[in-house]
């Protein structure tokens, strides 16, 4: 069995990012809202069953820009085994947050590729840099802020549904 370190995982996630383009193949730019929109929760009505393997090209991922940076949707849907999943990549400008701290029923993994973010874990703050992974548990208040001097880039994998 092959082992994978965090750096390898982040590289692999870049490959997943390329998968989203295959599912819709469009790049779009939107107006610059003050905060990045929180995507609909995984497992929302209309989400497809993810039963086919795909690859996603980073350059073909749809881009949504905001005053805080930009996000690229990769994939969302429900696995044949029943888990709802959503994956997106965010580039966050120095000193910015994608949105205020929040909580939701689904859980999230955030994998930092570049930069330094501050993870607000229910009021406790911790800095996380490249290769670091953050886990935001279900129904726990959490948030991220770029506390570095350069852009922060991270992937978010959301798992679970908002309703049982």
């Amino acid at each position: 069995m092959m082992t994978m370190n965090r750096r390898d995982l982040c590289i692999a996630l870049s490959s997943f990012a390329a998968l989203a383009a295959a599912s819709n193949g469009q790049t779009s730019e939107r107006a610059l809202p003050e905060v990045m929109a929180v995507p609909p929760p995984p497992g929302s009505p209309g989400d497809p069953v993810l039963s086919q393997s795909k690859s996603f090209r980073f350059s073909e991922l749809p881009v949504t820009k905001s005053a805080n940076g930009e996000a690229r949707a990769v994939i969302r849907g429900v696995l044949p085994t029943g888990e709802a999943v959503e994956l997106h990549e965010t580039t966050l400008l120095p000193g910015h947050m994608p949105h205020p701290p929040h909580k939701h029923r689904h859980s999230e993994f955030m994998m930092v590729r570049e930069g330094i973010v501050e993870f607000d874990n229910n009021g406790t703050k911790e800095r996380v840099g490249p290769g670091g992974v953050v886990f935001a548990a279900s129904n726990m208040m959490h948030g991220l802020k770029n506390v570095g001097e350069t852009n922060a880039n991270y992937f978010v994998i959301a798992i679970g549904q908002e309703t049982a």
Side-chain angles (χ1 to χ4, degrees):
M1 184 158 132
M2 183 173 65
T3 60
M4 182 181 285
N5 63 32
R6 284 183 232 157
R7 181 183 168 110
D8 293 336
L9 182 59
C10 286
I11 291 169
L13 286 175
S14 295
S15 298
F16 290 144
L19 291 172
S23 64
N24 71 20
Q26 298 176 358
T27 300
S28 63
E29 294 191 12
R30 299 180 186 162
L32 297 177
E34 285 300 313
V35 295
M36 293 180 179
V38 177
S44 293
D47 279 355
V49 174
L50 303 175
S51 59
Q52 300 294 316
S53 299
K54 296 179 183 179
S55 64
F56 301 88
R57 297 192 195 310
F58 183 79
S59 62
E60 296 173 355
L61 296 175
V63 178
T64 301
K65 295 189 177 203
S66 80
N68 300 314
E70 60 187 33
R72 288 175 169 81
V74 179
I75 193 168
R76 65 175 298 122
V78 179
L79 300 175
T81 50
E83 300 87 3
V85 297
E86 184 264 335
L87 170 65
H88 66 274
E89 179 265 351
T90 298
T91 300
L92 196 55
L93 299 173
H96 288 257
M97 300 175 71
H99 42 69
H102 61 285
K103 63 182 176 177
H104 37 64
R105 187 165 181 266
H106 68 268
S107 299
E108 295 177 326
F109 290 94
M110 291 160 265
M111 291 162 235
V112 180
R113 188 165 62 100
E114 299 173 318
I116 300 171
V117 297
E118 182 178 76
F119 172 51
D120 182 342
N121 181 8
N122 205 27
T124 301
K125 297 182 180 177
E126 179 181 359
R127 288 182 178 218
V128 182
V133 178
V134 168
F135 174 66
S138 174
N139 292 314
M140 294 298 292
M141 188 67 74
H142 64 279
L144 283 183
K145 180 178 183 179
N146 181 351
V147 294
E149 296 180 10
T150 62
N151 288 350
N153 184 276
Y154 58 92
F155 291 89
V156 177
I157 300 174
I159 303 170
Q161 297 178 316
E162 290 305 297
T163 60

